Amino acid sequence: MHRPPDDHPPIRRRRRKWGPRRIWNYFVMAVGYLAIAYNVIRGIIYLLVLAEEWM
């Protein structure tokens, strides 16, 4: 296994903090998923109405 040289300490990964950018990303993703869900439900209702008129 590869070991870093002793004069360079291992790089520690910083823990993620709830900064404004991360909150904004979650908000944008939530709005996107809600828009997709809304359009899927609307499409299903539209197809059901079409099927009812067609039969």
Side-chain angles (χ1 to χ4, degrees):
M1 206 163 115
H2 181 279
R3 284 190 64 204
D6 291 331
D7 56 339
H8 294 293
I11 299 168
R12 287 200 184 121
R13 292 181 64 185
R14 278 190 286 164
R15 287 175 29 125
R16 292 259 186 180
K17 293 180 183 169
W18 283 95
R21 184 169 209 137
R22 184 151 183 198
I23 293 171
W24 176 250
N25 286 346
Y26 276 113
F27 175 74
V28 169
M29 280 177 41
V31 168
Y33 282 125
L34 285 173
I36 291 170
Y38 169 76
N39 283 311
V40 167
I41 292 168
R42 200 173 123 210
I44 291 171
I45 291 172
Y46 179 72
L47 287 174
L48 288 173
V49 169
L50 271 181
E52 188 179 345
E53 290 177 1
W54 189 57
M55 291 191 158

